[in-house]
Amino acid sequence: MLNVAFVCLGNICRSPMAELIFRQLAEERGLSLSFNIDSFATSEYEVGSGIYPPAKRTLENHGIRGTHIAKQISLRDVINNDYIIVMDSENLLSLLRLTGGKFGEKIFKLRSFTSRPHDVADPWYSRNFEKAYEDIYEGCECFMQYLLKEHKEAFDYDKRH
Ligand code: 4NP
């Protein structure tokens, strides 16, 4: 079982989109039981809120459904997860502040797995939810490809049992 946490500033747009997209990619590969997938905010701004309606609508336009309630990440969550996947450089700095610079080896920017490793622009400000979806989808797909190689034996085992 791999514990994967997606992280953004508010946990109502980008990271819940990534959580639901990545969950679908795992399901498509018959790997639902191989993952524990969650998402978190670096801030407390939107704690307790559901997925922001324009983000939810964008997901639904692409056939992806699901719910999430925003929560702020704690040091315990960083310790408990194998991969912490952030959306932009600001999220990365916030996490390193939280950990006092520790656990950097398991914190990655989502698009660092792609051939165009730019930040995922925050649609809360850009209002471009479709662009965010496309950037996140590609990032999730490339992250999945990375994990399939990196943890091949574990996934092959899970599929046999
Ligand atoms: P997210 O977008 O980090 O992609 O969830 C934001 C949502 C809310 C706020 C900032 C960013 N906010 O300031 O409330």
Side-chain angles (χ1 to χ4, degrees):
M1 167 79 80
L2 273 184
N3 295 310
V4 176
F6 295 96
V7 175
C8 64
L9 177 60
N11 194 213
I12 59 170
C13 299
R14 293 166 297 172
S15 61
M17 289 172 90
E19 176 189 341
L20 298 188
I21 290 168
F22 192 77
R23 186 166 291 136
Q24 168 155 310
L25 295 180
E27 273 167 23
E28 285 167 4
R29 288 168 174 82
L31 290 173
S32 296
L33 299 178
S34 300
F35 288 101
N36 182 38
I37 306 164
D38 206 346
S39 66
F40 298 87
T42 57
S43 74
E44 57 188 41
Y45 303 152
E46 291 290 343
V47 169
S49 300
I51 301 175
Y52 189 51
K56 200 170 168 64
R57 267 198 300 279
T58 305
L59 288 169
E60 285 172 0
N61 290 341
H62 290 275
I64 298 177
R65 272 158 223 287
T67 56
H68 181 78
I69 301 295
K71 55 194 175 188
Q72 188 176 25
I73 197 163
S74 68
L75 184 56
R76 163 70 61 189
D77 299 314
V78 175
I79 291 167
N80 285 347
N81 278 280
D82 302 302
Y83 288 91
I84 319 279
I85 307 298
V86 302
M87 299 298 134
D88 60 31
S89 307
E90 186 189 319
N91 305 152
L92 180 61
L93 285 175
S94 301
L95 280 187
L96 290 174
R97 265 197 299 276
L98 175 71
T99 64
K102 289 200 284 193
F103 304 111
E105 71 283 356
K106 59 178 171 179
I107 307 176
F108 300 85
K109 287 208 289 181
L110 178 64
R111 291 195 55 89
S112 69
F113 298 99
T114 77
S115 55
R116 288 178 303 128
H118 56 78
D119 286 354
V120 179
D122 194 338
W124 180 260
Y125 302 109
S126 73
R127 309 313 294 177
N128 196 338
F129 289 88
E130 183 59 29
K131 171 84 165 83
Y133 175 88
E134 284 162 16
D135 284 351
I136 293 167
Y137 188 93
E138 187 186 27
C140 283
E141 181 65 41
C142 293
F143 175 44
M144 176 62 83
Q145 294 303 332
Y146 168 84
L147 293 177
L148 290 175
K149 280 197 197 120
E150 196 72 11
H151 300 276
K152 184 172 187 319
E153 285 77 17
F155 291 136
D156 286 347
Y157 179 89
D158 287 351
K159 283 196 162 174
R160 284 197 307 273
H161 292 81

